[in-house]
């Protein structure tokens, strides 16, 4: 079952060996993909995109979840049986690009069915995100794979050189290259099952350059703990914002009548 608690959030209630809830967020600040144990809030009114997701994916089987290289793009592969009994593969692609974050449903022909944010060719010279357009990945700017990291890279801008490097990870790797071998750093990044949670940040590596206290959690539990209060505040802000819009609109109408 697929639900949508807010404008940016989607929940896939999965059943297999036990129950799991796959959480997808396209929020500009809190966007992410994770399995969550947090209790879901009530569903907002049915949206067009939720209707599309239910039509093409509800009752389907998630066969694979993978990342495009080391970029902020996740691909969820889903097999779904249509009304004729034919199993068709779909891709639900999550692009975590800040305020440009998007969730895009792509059919077995490689064409876009719909997206949370549609964008015509007149808005972007790179690609169109509209129904019927072929899906193409965002430009990767030909950055190198971080697995090619070397000692000499400490003198370079890692964000400009390598794909998928955030400012905080750049600082941490640069610091660690003073005392650790590149392969040791990469092994910790790729094999970590721990989330190091700080007051204002988190990472799968201990952020030694911060020199601050932290708590450790299993990955998904850590994400739940970090975001639970932030999400509640954001939902309240969203609901009160919508309420204020209604109040302003009604005030405007009343004034026009006077």
């Amino acid at each position: 079952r697929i639900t949508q608690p807010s404008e940016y959030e989607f929940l896939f209630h999965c059943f297999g060996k036990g129950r799991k809830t796959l959480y997808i967020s396209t929020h500009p600040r809190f966007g992410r993909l994770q399995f969550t144990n947090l209790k879901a809030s009530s569903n907002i009114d049915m949206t067009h995109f939720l209707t599309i997701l239910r039509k093409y994916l509800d009752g389907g089987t998630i066969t694979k979840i993978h990342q495009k290289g080391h970029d902020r793009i996740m691909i969820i592969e889903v097999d779904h049986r249509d009304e004729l009994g034919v199993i068709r593969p779909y891709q639900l692609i999550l692009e975590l690009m800040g305020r440009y974050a998007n969730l895009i449903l792509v059919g077995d022909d490689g064409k876009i069915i719909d997206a949370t944010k549609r964008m015509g060719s007149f808005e972007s010279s790179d690609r169109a995100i509209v129904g019927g357009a072929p899906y193409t990945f965002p430009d990767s700017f030909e950055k190198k794979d971080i697995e090619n990291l070397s000692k000499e890279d400490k003198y370079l801008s890692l964000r400009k050189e390598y794909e998928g490097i955030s400012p905080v990870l750049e600082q941490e790797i640069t610091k660690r290259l003073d005392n650790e071998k590149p392969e040791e750093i990469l092994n910790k990044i790729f094999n970590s099952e721990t989330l190091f949670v700080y007051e204002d940040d988190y990472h799968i590596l201990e952020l030694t350059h911060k020199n601050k206290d932290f708590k450790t959690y299993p990955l998904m539990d850590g994400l739940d703990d970090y975001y639970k209060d932030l999400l509640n505040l954001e939902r309240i802000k969203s609901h009160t914002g919508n309420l204020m819009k209604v109040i302003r609109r009604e005030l405007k109408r009343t004034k026009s009548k006077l």
Side-chain angles (χ1 to χ4, degrees), residues 33-199:
L33 174 70
Q34 68 164 109
F35 285 105
T36 182
N37 291 315
L38 294 180
K39 185 178 180 181
S41 59
S42 58
N43 206 45
I44 62 173
D45 293 338
M46 181 67 72
T47 64
H48 174 73
F49 191 66
L50 179 58
T51 302
I52 293 294
L53 289 181
R54 287 182 172 178
K55 176 182 178 181
Y56 289 96
L57 304 183
D58 224 357
T61 301
I62 297 175
T63 59
K64 187 178 182 181
I65 300 177
H66 56 105
Q67 183 178 7
K68 181 184 180 293
H70 301 301
D71 211 344
R72 295 168 294 169
I73 300 172
M74 299 298 298
I75 304 159
I76 305 169
E77 310 270 0
V78 181
D79 284 349
H80 183 267
R81 191 182 301 274
D82 66 15
E83 60 273 12
L84 298 177
V86 178
I87 295 178
R88 299 188 180 278
Y90 296 93
Q91 289 185 326
L92 188 60
I93 301 173
L94 176 62
E95 300 178 354
L96 294 172
M97 305 296 180
R99 64 192 180 100
Y100 300 106
N102 210 346
L103 188 60
I104 305 166
L105 181 61
V106 179
D108 57 356
D109 57 358
K111 293 182 179 180
I112 295 169
I113 296 174
D114 208 347
T116 53
K117 288 183 181 176
R118 300 170 190 162
M119 184 168 57
S121 56
F122 61 91
E123 297 177 82
S124 171
S125 59
D126 298 327
R127 59 186 188 142
I129 305 296
V130 292
Y135 176 79
T136 56
F137 288 108
D139 194 341
S140 63
F141 302 104
E142 298 183 352
K143 293 183 180 181
K144 296 185 292 186
D145 192 316
I146 189 61
E147 292 184 32
N148 296 312
L149 183 70
S150 68
K151 274 283 188 182
E152 290 70 30
D153 287 334
K154 65 175 293 182
Y155 303 108
L156 303 176
S157 170
L158 299 180
R159 292 177 65 198
K160 292 181 179 179
E161 290 290 322
Y162 293 107
E163 181 183 60
I165 301 296
S166 65
V168 69
L169 183 56
E170 179 181 49
Q171 293 179 61
E172 185 59 27
I173 291 176
T174 300
K175 182 178 185 300
R176 285 175 179 258
L177 282 173
D178 286 332
N179 304 304
E180 296 182 49
K181 295 178 181 179
E183 53 268 28
E184 293 174 342
I185 300 172
L186 294 176
N187 182 61
K188 291 175 182 176
I189 293 174
F190 293 136
N191 296 302
S192 174
E193 295 183 359
T194 300
L195 199 69
F196 297 84
V197 178
Y198 296 79
E199 183 179 1

